[in-house]
Amino acid sequence: METVLMKGNEALAEAAIRAGLKVYFGYPITPQNEVGEYLAKHLPPAGGTFLQAESEVAAINMVYGAAGAGVRTMTSSSGPGISLMQEGISYLAAAELPAVIVNMMRGGPGLGGIQPSQSDYFQATKGGGHGDYRLIVLAPSSVQELYDLTMLAFDLADHYRNPVMVLGDGLLGQMMESVTLKPYIPAFPLEEKTWATRGRKNREPNIINSLYLDPERLFSHNQKLFKKYQEIAEKEVRVEVINEEAEFFFVAYGSSARISLKVIELLKEKGINAGLIRPITLWPFPYTVIAEKVNQSKGFMVVEMSMGQMVEDVERAVKGQKPVYFYGTAGGIVPSPQKIFQRTLEILEGGQE
Amino acid sequence: MAMGMLLAHAAIKEGFNSSFIPSYGPEMRGGTANCSVVIEKGFIASPIVTEPDVLVAMNSPSLLKFKDTVKKGGHLFINSSLIASIPTIKSDIHIHKIPANELALKIGESRASNMVMLGAVLAVTNLISLETALLNLNYIFKNKPEVLAVNEKALKIGFQSLKENKVKTAVI
Amino acid sequence: MAEILARPESLTKVPFHYCPGCTHGIAHRLVAEVIDELGLAEKTIGVASVGCSVLAYDYFNLDMQQAAHGRAPAVATGIKRALPDRIVFTYQGDGDLASIGMGEIVHAAGRGENITVIFINNSIYGMTGGQMAPTTLMGQKTTTTPEGRTKDNGFPLKVSEMLATLDGVAYIARVALSDPGQVIKAKKAIKTAFTVQEKGLGFSMVEILSTCPTNWGLSPVNALKYVKETMTRYYPPGEFKKPEGEW
């Protein structure tokens, strides 16, 4: 296996090709343009199709069509574009279509900026589009994980017939890091998509649809979806805990988790035994893993590049039993390990308020 | 940028983990375009560099912006061709002045000043060997084989400028 | 006894929900007949849109996808790019295609996307109860132009003429379901459109002038007369673009 220096956006595109991406649709937006550019160059020789759509609205609906046709398909964008895609994402979830959607988050709201951010957490994990639905949300924190989780995203999408979002940020997308180009090994056995619309040869027609005018039928469709979501919540929580025996835990995902690791190193020099709980799936969220640390931890410090979004889920897990602190930056400012370190020291040495 | 990318790439070839973060967006179009490189034996905790061990400043705006971030005992490399008046710099770091553009001109390619600087960095820090850097130059210039030779020369002349001519190095 | 008039294979046995005098049923049937005659049923995927024909997936005995409002050409693009050897068509009304979905239809046509679009123009929003459409004629009364459409509401869009200017377009025709002769012409145009796609020549569209007796406030017979005498004056039937030479 080759280990190379690769840009995050390109590593994820390479992983998608190796996982069998057949058609990609996207619209340019910083900071994820390298995804489309890489695929425009490398997907056709691999037997796939790259198409630059006229808008994010069109791109996500092209994904809907291709997913319904039973092939592996993907789009990528950043905040403003992902907002435009919400309608299509809701339809994908409703019609139970497998697709991978990448969001390399940038600062918002509105046009915001182009520097890294984590302020689309709510949008990704709590809905975003209309109606009751869930996306599986994967949060890589290194270029290697962008590669690995993109492959996993296709498998989860197919296995559960559900859209999966890879939630990265401008920093992960733009940075280069060593990445081992592992061969693709499916996480689940690949099943034939007998439900796909590929022409009704030797069978009854298949229909891809999200319209249920009869309230009873819509209700039972909702129940069916939520039974699936429950299964996903039971089976697919992924989390990394660093330093299981710690007396104080950071909770952070993506780039913020990397920064938190640095803070933990600095605290260790001061004799403070801190650990990290890093959700890899943001939905389903690792509530139980956090709850299990409530007794041993003096408190939890949530670090995000936002004004405080995931912190609400950490509070839900901790249920008021221990203090939950928050350190956030926004607008594209990456938090400084030294500042978080100082704040944590103040908290730990000044007693718990 | 090319300097950082080469360093990060070559470090992997020597068995390290490395990361490279470029500035992107408007900064790319002038001003203080910069990049951060981390080289580690193990897993890289944070790829964000707030206190560098080594800082290379190619022009005055960059020097002014980052000069105070260098870690105590760290190294600051200044391109003295483009930075005429050097501001006050904290006294607990090593300062190296390299007339990178002049040296690059000597070998006939002023644009190779970045590789001259990298050569100088390698001479002082041994982050990676000069040989590895030379062997991996084609990673940066894969589409321009015609400039490979001159950049090889640039790396070497930069390396020698500090290895053989300590006069220009002011260690405070 | 020989069956003179049978239901096309490509239609299901589900009765249409359309209002009396509405020509959606005829249009559905023509599309189904053409697909049968060209032997395409097993390799065709249809895309239903939002509007009165939202339930088209119940009526066509074909693999079908239901698309978000206006996005049928994008969905069809996705299907066609995934399965280039299949036949893909959209069935869209004028609100869906010419208002909310104008971006998607123009770009699908511009790309020369090798799909067929069946565009039902009845100059009004039927499903939502008779509001102004981008195709509503000047002076025409709707629930949102109670005094008739004026220039304050803008002018009706001639989609076929607009799209015919694009290089990616292979075939565009406008037909009117106003009498049996015109229905036969309509079927011919639909057949040409699907054949163009089968031959991989590019984007094809048939605009079908249709009735909406309920929202026009006309009897079925007078609605047909309205198509023939009023609509075709602003929207002249004809072929606006077709492949040149032998094909």
Side-chain angles (χ1 to χ4, degrees), chain C residues 205-229:
Chain C
M205 183 178 94
V206 180
E207 176 178 348
I208 302 177
L209 301 181
S210 295
T211 60
C212 185
T214 302
N215 289 303
W216 288 353
L218 295 176
S219 71
V221 172
N222 285 339
L224 290 174
K225 208 183 274 177
Y226 181 81
V227 172
K228 188 170 194 154
E229 292 170 7

Side-chain angles (χ1 to χ4, degrees), chain C residues 100-220:
Chain C
I100 194 166
M102 190 55 112
E104 281 75 13
I105 193 67
V106 170
H107 283 279
R111 281 193 303 270
E113 208 62 57
N114 195 29
I115 59 172
T116 298
V117 173
I118 305 298
F119 168 35
I120 305 295
N121 177 1
N122 60 10
S123 78
I124 204 158
Y125 279 79
M127 181 71 134
T128 46
Q131 295 83 8
M132 183 188 75
T135 45
T136 294
L137 297 173
M138 296 310 281
Q140 185 181 342
K141 285 185 180 172
T142 69
T143 59
T144 49
T145 53
E147 304 302 322
R149 184 173 190 165
T150 68
K151 65 178 171 51
D152 290 345
N153 310 110
F155 298 87
L157 298 173
K158 294 177 175 173
V159 179
S160 289
E161 287 85 340
M162 283 164 59
L163 295 186
T165 64
L166 301 175
D167 290 343
V169 171
Y171 180 75
I172 288 200
R174 183 186 288 126
V175 297
L177 298 179
S178 51
D179 61 49
Q182 295 300 315
V183 170
I184 288 166
K185 277 191 182 165
K187 182 172 170 184
K188 207 175 146 233
I190 293 168
K191 201 166 190 170
T192 306
F194 275 92
T195 309
V196 162
Q197 181 183 170
E198 235 193 323
K199 292 186 183 293
L201 300 177
F203 180 89
S204 55
M205 183 178 94
V206 180
E207 176 178 348
I208 302 177
L209 301 181
S210 295
T211 60
C212 185
T214 302
N215 289 303
W216 288 353
L218 295 176
S219 71

Side-chain angles (χ1 to χ4, degrees), chain A residues 211 213, chain C residues 17-18 28 48-49 51-60 66 127:
Chain A
L211 178 69
L213 288 171
Chain C
H17 70 282
Y18 300 114
H28 280 21
S49 61
C52 285
S53 60
V54 66
L55 296 173
Y57 56 81
D58 275 343
Y59 306 134
F60 285 109
Q66 202 289 314
M127 181 71 134

